[in-house]
Amino acid sequence: TQLDNDFELYDAIRNTKLSVNENYDSAFRFYHMFGSHPGATFNENMEYEENVSLPRALRGDMKIIKEYIQQLKDLGVYDETTIIITADHGEFLGYFLLPPSCLLLVKEAGADSSVPIRTSKAQICHEDLFATALKAMGADYADFGPAIDEIPEDINRHRYHYNMEVDKGHEAGLFEYLVIGESSNLNYIVETRNWEVKYSFYN
């Protein structure tokens, strides 16, 4: 499910409520929210408000997630549910300048909920989510590499970051960067390739 209207998603979750279909062995749901993008018109209480700061809008989306998780608990399926919370990109200024680090939180099915959240230093990327999601559903993920929980924290991994750079409101090119170490350090990020872009959705 993809909804770019966070109000619509919040109303659907609150009014329709989550349900469980016993005919499914497993289910996958994907929600894309507007999040803390400039132009958000909702505050931390998911109420309409213009000129909201990005942190307040982000807290509004956290309110949606909190409601979703509470309903999973009310249904008795929270413990057997894998939850992945991430961003589709980090802070974006129209060109590559900041380290491409995104929020990524994974709560695995069967995890002990009494154990506090732990920060991992494993060098992962969004590409690892394919194997992670397939593993959570009990599917074969051998062709997609290791799941996130299988990646050691003490190894350097080569990952790729793709950055759409913008010039005067138009997409100027898609740039590929090789990340050869800690992604928060720009010294470990090397441009490898770029593609000219023939279109723009900023018109």
Side-chain angles (χ1 to χ4, degrees), residues 31-52:
Y31 299 99
H32 177 271
M33 293 180 282
F34 187 81
S36 57
H37 288 84
T41 56
F42 54 88
N43 60 27
E44 63 271 19
N45 297 312
M46 282 310 298
E47 301 167 335
Y48 181 84
E49 183 178 336
E50 296 186 356
N51 301 318
V52 176

Side-chain angles (χ1 to χ4, degrees), residues 90-101 160-166 173-179 183-191:
E91 188 171 357
F92 179 63
L93 302 176
Y95 51 92
F96 187 77
L97 178 65
L98 300 173
S101 300
Y160 289 92
H161 169 72
Y162 296 91
N163 196 73
M164 181 66 73
E165 302 200 358
V166 177
L174 178 65
F175 288 74
E176 177 187 84
Y177 295 88
L178 174 63
V179 184
S183 61
S184 61
N185 189 334
L186 290 176
N187 292 323
Y188 295 142
I189 301 174
V190 181
E191 181 184 329

Side-chain angles (χ1 to χ4, degrees), residues 1 3-15 17-18 30-36 40-48 55-73 78 83-85:
T1 301
L3 292 173
D4 287 312
N5 186 325
D6 296 38
F7 286 115
E8 182 180 343
L9 175 58
Y10 188 47
D11 285 342
I13 292 173
R14 285 190 306 165
N15 298 325
K17 303 291 185 182
L18 303 184
F30 170 76
Y31 299 99
H32 177 271
M33 293 180 282
F34 187 81
S36 57
T41 56
F42 54 88
N43 60 27
E44 63 271 19
N45 297 312
M46 282 310 298
E47 301 167 335
Y48 181 84
R56 292 181 66 200
L58 182 57
R59 285 195 289 270
D61 277 338
M62 291 298 106
K63 184 177 181 69
I64 299 175
I65 294 171
K66 182 179 178 180
E67 174 66 25
Y68 196 100
I69 289 175
Q70 184 57 54
Q71 290 192 30
L72 290 175
K73 291 181 177 180
Y78 172 79
I83 299 172
I84 300 173
I85 302 173

Side-chain angles (χ1 to χ4, degrees), residues 72-163:
L72 290 175
K73 291 181 177 180
D74 293 342
L75 288 168
V77 296
Y78 172 79
D79 289 337
E80 60 191 80
T81 300
T82 294
I83 299 172
I84 300 173
I85 302 173
T86 188
D88 52 357
H89 56 81
E91 188 171 357
F92 179 63
L93 302 176
Y95 51 92
F96 187 77
L97 178 65
L98 300 173
S101 300
C102 298
L103 163 76
L104 178 58
L105 183 148
V106 179
K107 194 288 291 184
E108 297 174 307
D112 184 351
S113 58
S114 68
V115 177
I117 292 177
R118 184 181 69 86
T119 299
S120 171
K121 295 186 178 298
Q123 296 179 7
I124 61 174
C125 64
H126 277 136
E127 187 176 9
D128 301 320
L129 292 178
F130 292 108
T132 303
L134 288 170
K135 179 181 179 180
M137 292 186 288
D140 181 8
Y141 60 97
D143 292 339
F144 295 89
I148 285 175
D149 65 303
E150 300 168 346
I151 299 173
E153 297 187 43
D154 58 352
I155 64 170
N156 278 335
R157 298 179 71 221
H158 286 195
R159 294 97 73 210
Y160 289 92
H161 169 72
Y162 296 91
N163 196 73

